[in-house]
Amino acid sequence: MAPPSPRHWYLSRPARTALAAGVALVAGALAVPGAYAVPAQGPATATTAGPHDDFNGDGYADLAVAAPAATVDGRRGAGYVAVLYGSASGLRTATRQVVSQNTAGVPGSAETDDEFGSALATADLDRDGYDDLVVGAAREDTADGGADAGLVAVVWGGPGGLSGGAALASGRGAHDALGAAGHLTVGDVDGDGAPDLVTVENLHDLRVLRGPFGRNGAGAGGEQVVVDEFDSRVLDLAAGDVNGDGVTDVVATENDGDEYDARRVVYWTGTRDGLTPYTVVDDADGSRLQGGENLDVGDVNADGADDIVVGRAVDGYDSDLDNPHVKGGRVTWIPGSPQGPDGTRAVFVNQDTPGVPGSAEDDDAFGTDVRIGDVDGDGHPDVVTGLPGEDLGDVTGAGSVVVLRGTADGLTGAGARAVTQNTPNVPGSAERDDTFGRAVHLGDANGDGLADLAVGAPGENAGAGSVWYFRSSVTTVVTPNGTTAFGAGTLGTVATGAALGTAFAAG
């Protein structure tokens, strides 16, 4: 196995012990406040049906971005989560929250290297009509588990935004790192109508907390642990209905320890009795289809079964020899079907695919993060991916983001569009090691039916980090005009080393 390039430090989610947050389009050096007051956004009821990530029930998607490496009240690496609320005009920086373990009602307290925000997810856990924010703190020390056992907590949504919270689960052993990056997703895996929370213990066993959840954080359905018979390592989790039977399934990309060659895509089928043992996705040759570091699930071809999209940003290993698809990183589309994911029909896309801007080069890191959403309103969800290693001229590691179009035939390079900090009307300018595109997110923040794009650049301003929000359009896919950008100066947080923009909430 060839050694990794020195620039691969930012690629693998488990290795991302979470640089995620402290923004700095305007440098700030203030202690993190508990939370900004967020006014009510209008009437909402327990039956309000809004988009994912709608914490205040106003029908507009909100944005949560993690900063697990950030300093809180002088404690380095304590971590926080910043939230901006959606509106008819998009995300609003005037109404925002900064939530940490020092925020009233949130379990625990801000301590050095807890990494609150190491993973994020959203769902209406208590079924009151408001989405809730689920937060991992992978290095939380607990009385029962010991050092770095990890904690998963919820911050409750409501008409005034996020407030209060409860502990959902903690690690059962030292260094279990429950709630680590990539180890958190939500879905109804037993088909009872209540969302269930899925996380990872021992780095490879699925721990399922079955809802519905009470305000004390207890799940009424108990727990299920799905044991992995091999010494695998889960790199990323996502939930969706990959066989179209109406029950949520769970998908992961895994590897064997630190073997980057031994990557695979697996899924656990949801049933009325919970998750079944996993199935490996095979390719057209009958071998296991090679996975990557991250994935998302959604119905790209709109056929009624969710598809899997896998991003592999790391290249240059033995298994990559003579494989043109992986140069510079790649994105793989795996269609769902009534029989489950069909790896024999997988489509591979990289920067050498016709229509994709740029060209495949070593260490571009195409596929670093992938998210699915319909950005152009044609009924076929699209895929956005980050390239934080992309060089722009002689500016190394400046970063880029590419939007790939979804069609009835799946993912295509045709009509793809790239955006960088050098794109006209985008605030800021590309600088060395900004890593623009390290994390991406799609959500309809202005309620026009199109998924808007959020981009993180954790390397911005010497590691302070920043976030950009782009509105989507049926004609231009993403619209730089009116782009919102924010950092530590907007949030009133400590900028140094926070690396805002490493991760966003996943619904």
Side-chain angles (χ1 to χ4, degrees):
M1 179 181 72
S5 160
R7 289 174 61 189
H8 284 159
W9 65 270
Y10 50 76
L11 300 176
S12 177
R13 285 193 181 178
R16 302 175 191 173
T17 32
L19 302 168
V23 245
L25 288 182
V26 180
L30 303 176
V32 177
Y36 288 90
V38 179
Q41 304 303 314
T45 69
T47 59
T48 298
H52 289 301
D53 311 331
D54 185 7
F55 303 127
N56 56 14
D58 64 354
Y60 302 105
D62 309 313
L63 180 70
V65 55
T71 298
V72 177
D73 290 346
R75 294 168 175 81
R76 185 174 180 177
Y80 68 78
V81 180
V83 178
L84 270 68
Y85 287 82
S87 71
S89 58
L91 294 178
R92 297 171 299 162
T93 58
T95 51
R96 74 274 189 190
Q97 286 182 285
V98 177
V99 179
S100 75
Q101 286 185 283
N102 282 356
T103 300
V106 176
S109 59
E111 299 171 311
T112 300
D113 292 333
D114 274 354
E115 296 182 358
F116 183 79
S118 53
L120 299 177
T122 63
D124 184 5
L125 293 187
D126 59 355
R127 299 193 293 182
D128 66 350
Y130 303 95
D131 279 337
D132 309 306
L133 177 65
V134 183
V135 185
R139 296 185 63 190
E140 176 86 9
D141 298 342
T142 68
D144 295 333
D148 296 343
L151 172 73
V152 177
V154 59
V155 186
W156 301 112
L162 295 169
S163 64
L168 297 173
S170 60
R172 294 191 258 236
H175 309 294
D176 196 11
L178 200 76
H183 288 182
L184 201 58
T185 192
V186 181
D188 183 9
V189 302
D190 55 10
D192 66 353
D196 308 306
L197 178 67
V198 183
T199 185
V200 180
E201 64 180 19
N202 303 322
L203 302 179
H204 53 71
D205 297 337
L206 294 193
R207 183 175 173 185
V208 184
L209 311 177
R210 293 185 178 177
F213 292 85
R215 298 289 285 195
N216 64 354
E223 291 193 14
Q224 177 190 14
V225 175
V226 186
V227 177
D228 189 327
E229 60 183 310
F230 303 108
D231 185 25
S232 304
R233 296 292 182 270
V234 171
L235 303 181
D236 198 14
L237 286 177
D241 187 2
V242 296
N243 57 10
D245 67 353
V247 182
T248 304
D249 312 303
V250 175
V251 183
T253 183
E254 299 183 334
N255 72 338
D256 293 334
D258 62 354
E259 292 294 323
Y260 281 83
D261 286 327
R263 302 202 163 191
R264 58 186 168 270
V265 179
V266 303
Y267 64 97
W268 296 261
T269 301
T271 72
R272 298 296 175 180
D273 297 319
L275 295 178
T276 63
Y278 76 67
T279 301
V280 178
V281 178
D282 291 332
D283 61 19
D285 296 328
S287 303
R288 63 186 182 192
L289 188 147
Q290 191 178 70
E293 296 79 50
N294 65 91
L295 78 163
D296 199 8
V297 176
D299 192 2
V300 173
N301 60 359
D303 67 350
D306 283 339
D307 312 317
I308 303 170
V309 175
V310 179
R312 173 164 186 175
V314 176
D315 62 340
Y317 287 84
D318 292 343
S319 62
D320 301 331
L321 297 177
D322 301 319
N323 185 344
H325 298 300
V326 298
K327 184 177 182 181
R330 77 174 179 192
V331 171
T332 303
W333 172 72
I334 307 168
S337 77
Q339 292 73 44
D342 186 358
T344 67
R345 297 165 51 210
V347 173
F348 305 97
V349 178
N350 72 350
Q351 281 190 285
D352 284 342
T353 300
V356 178
S359 59
E361 300 169 312
D362 291 340
D363 296 326
D364 278 349
F366 184 87
T368 289
D369 197 8
V370 291
R371 286 293 176 262
I372 300 172
D374 189 358
V375 302
D376 56 9
D378 67 353
H380 293 97
D382 310 294
V383 174
V384 61
T385 186
L387 297 81
E390 179 89 315
D391 300 337
L392 301 179
D394 59 358
V395 181
T396 60
S400 175
V401 169
V402 170
V403 180
L404 303 168
R405 309 297 288 272
T407 73
D409 296 320
L411 198 62
T412 177
R417 173 164 183 178
V419 62
T420 74
Q421 286 191 73
N422 285 348
T423 299
N425 299 314
V426 174
S429 59
E431 300 167 310
R432 181 177 179 179
D433 294 333
D434 277 351
T435 62
F436 182 88
R438 165 80 178 272
V440 294
H441 182 76
L442 292 172
D444 186 8
N446 60 357
D448 65 355
L450 308 178
D452 304 312
L453 170 64
V455 178
E460 178 80 9
N461 291 335
S466 294
V467 173
W468 285 256
Y469 157 70
F470 301 85
R471 295 175 181 85
S472 292
S473 163
V474 294
T475 57
T476 58
V477 183
V478 291
T479 306
N481 289 324
T483 298
T484 299
F486 64 93
T490 299
L491 299 174
T493 56
V494 177
T496 303
L500 182 73
T502 298
F504 297 102

